[in-house]
Every structure is written in C-alpha cells, then in structure tokens.
Amino acid sequence: MSEQPLNPTTAPAPEAAAEAATVTGSPTGSTDATAPAGPAADEAAALRAASFERARRLRQEPRFPGGPAADPAGSHHERRIRSFQPRRSRVTTGQQDALERLWPKWGLDIDGKRVLDLADLFDGLPVVLEIGFGMGEATAQMAADDPGTGILAVDVHTPGQGNLLGLADRAGSTNVRVANGDAVILLREMLAPASLDGLRVYFPDPWPKARHHKRRLIQPEFLDLVAPVLKPGAVIHCATDWEPYAEQMLEVLTAHPRFENTAADGGYAPRPAFRPLTRFEGQGLDKGHVVHDLLFARV
C-alpha cells in the first residue's frame, strides 16, 4: 500500500518565517532586536516567507480541479502516527485524462464528514474494501474477474488513482470506486457498522526498521476499527513478502478476539485464486522472496 501519511511537516506562518529570517540574518547571529537588519536581510526574509506560503498552498490545492483533493480530511487531520507516506510524482497524460473524466463518477474524497451509503454507491453489490492498491493492476483484474463484487479501493497516490480508473474503464468494469485519503478516517467515521463483506491489504509498507514498526498498518488498534464495519463471516485478507511483517500480522490477528484464522493449522494460507499474481510479486518470487497470505474471518 502505497495504507496510505506520516505527519506532514507544517510550514511556519509567513509572519513567523519572516521573523526567524530577520533574526538569523544578522551576520553575528545576534538576537539583539536593535541590530539593523538592512534592506538585503528584509528582502531575503520576504522571499523566504513567500516560499513558505507557496509550499503551504501547494499542499492544500488539488492537482486537478474536480479531482482528488490534496487534503480531503481538512480539519479532521490528526497528529498521529500514520502508516503511509503521501508523495507527489509525475502523472501521465492517460492518468490525467482518467482523473478528469472518471473521478466525478467513480472517485470520492475521505473527508470524514458523512457516512457512505455503500448500497447506493455500488448499486446493491456486496462490497470489499482494499487499502493500498499501488498502480491498481491487481485491483482492476479482480474487479474484471468478479463483477458481482464492489471494490472500494483506497490510496493517496494520484498516479495510481488515475491508473486504476483508466484500467477499470478500459475493461468495462463498473464495480470499482476509488477513495482518496486516510483509511483510518474512512473506517472510523464514514462506514456504517457491518457494511463491508471483506477487507484486503496486499503488500503494505513493511517499515522494516525497528524504530518504524509502530507505523505498520496491521496493529491491534487498527483491527479494533475494522471489526465493527465487517459483517460476521467477512474475511480480512493480508499478503506480504516481508517475513518479519508476516509473523507480526499472524501474531496480531491470532490474538484479536474478533477474528479467527481460516487456515486449519492456524498458520498462513495458500494464495487464493482470486488474488492475481502481479508483476511486482513475480519479480520478488524470482529473487527468492516468500509471499505469505493470511485469511481471517470476522466472528
């Protein structure tokens, strides 16, 4: 998954930036307010403040008018550890075209301001939530293979959002909706109890360094949010090629009272036929990576 952001650095207000620039502009580093700043220092401070303001506005403005918002949750933004890092990267012409044509029809922002009517959104289809779909190839394939299931696919990566919309459109799939923003806000504030028929988390960021393990998505607190919105018997399906993360997933899921392992031996499950083998996964297998699937039913 691309699950998803870390707390973004908050740019200082222009006034604060100007004040800091004026103070540090002194050749001696003195904080003496009576020291003359001079025209050059004043100009540098003004330029620095303007740069901060441009960066702040860029973070808040959508890249495509009418498309996914840059900060959909707005005032719902919280200072908490997040499991994914939003990033801006190049959007191709095809992805831009898909966003402009299809976002108003198949896209939605996770703003935390309403509860979604999934029956209306998916024309009565059962709905599974997928968190972190990358460039969307596997999601588009699953949607085409199973048109009787709706897929609510969440990510924050704009090129991937456009790519998935384009893939679904070319395949004639109408059972995909793309959600932009923080999946935690979606689970906590925008989904009704027992409204989902499944959850898919494929290859989330493993955050391999020990000091970053707290950023991993599959944690007890996350499962506490997931359990109420899943129907009884609905399956949470995780997959990862990072062995230590697979072990943590198995441990956390096994310990949670609302989930039961579908594997008879209490371990990992074979890859279900409905989960496509992606190009990225194939490259990992060629390098000797071992992919683990975990399927736990909500009890």
Side-chain angles (χ1 to χ4, degrees), residues 201-203 236-241 246 249-250 253 261-263 267-277 281 290-296:
V201 183
Y202 299 154
F203 303 98
I236 175 171
H237 180 193
C238 302
T240 182
D241 63 345
M249 288 179 175
L250 183 59
L253 282 161
N261 199 338
T262 63
Y268 304 111
R271 178 178 67 86
F274 67 80
R275 183 175 73 76
L277 182 66
E281 183 179 355
V290 177
V291 176
H292 291 295
D293 284 79
L294 304 93
L295 286 89
F296 278 71

Side-chain angles (χ1 to χ4, degrees), residues 35 82 85 156 198 206 219 286:
R82 282 171 164 75
Q85 172 67 59
V156 294
Q219 306 275 6
D286 290 341

Side-chain angles (χ1 to χ4, degrees), residues 18-247:
E19 180 181 350
T22 302
V23 169
T24 57
S26 171
T28 62
S30 170
T31 57
D32 183 1
T34 62
D42 289 343
E43 182 179 358
L47 290 172
R48 196 172 290 113
S51 177
F52 278 124
E53 179 64 13
R54 283 195 299 272
R56 184 188 67 80
R57 290 178 178 175
L58 181 63
R59 286 196 300 272
Q60 295 180 343
E61 293 176 358
R63 299 178 71 178
F64 306 102
D71 183 19
S75 61
H76 287 250
H77 180 81
E78 305 159 88
R79 290 186 175 275
R80 60 177 167 80
I81 295 170
R82 282 171 164 75
S83 63
F84 60 95
Q85 172 67 59
R87 61 197 187 279
R88 289 190 173 237
S89 56
R90 179 177 175 272
V91 175
T92 67
T93 302
Q95 292 161 1
Q96 179 174 347
D97 173 71
L99 286 167
E100 292 174 348
R101 289 189 303 106
L102 302 170
W103 186 262
K105 180 180 179 182
W106 289 344
L108 63 98
D109 284 316
I110 300 173
D111 56 15
K113 298 179 180 179
R114 66 197 190 283
V115 175
L116 299 176
D117 184 343
L118 295 184
D120 180 66
L121 195 62
F122 287 92
D123 299 321
L125 295 177
V127 178
V128 298
L129 172 66
E130 182 178 2
I131 299 178
F133 54 80
M135 295 305 292
E137 295 95 339
T139 307
Q141 184 63 55
M142 289 186 290
D145 291 344
D146 184 12
T149 297
I151 302 178
L152 178 58
V154 180
D155 211 308
V156 294
H157 188 47
T158 309
Q161 293 167 347
N163 202 57
L164 174 54
L165 289 170
L167 290 171
D169 186 45
R170 289 192 291 274
S173 300
T174 60
N175 55 329
V176 177
R177 303 293 181 269
V178 179
N180 168 55
D182 189 342
V184 168
I185 293 176
L186 175 71
L187 289 164
R188 191 183 63 207
E189 302 181 29
M190 297 182 66
L191 295 177
S195 59
L196 291 178
D197 292 83
L199 171 66
R200 298 167 180 171
V201 183
Y202 299 154
F203 303 98
D205 195 325
W207 294 102
K209 295 181 180 179
R211 68 176 183 271
H212 291 156
H213 287 181
K214 60 189 176 183
R215 302 191 186 281
R216 289 176 173 174
L217 181 64
I218 307 302
Q219 306 275 6
E221 298 79 8
F222 174 75
L223 297 181
D224 289 341
L225 287 176
V226 169
V229 300
L230 289 177
K231 296 176 181 177
V235 172
I236 175 171
H237 180 193
C238 302
T240 182
D241 63 345
W242 190 260
E243 185 81 24
Y245 196 9
E247 294 171 354

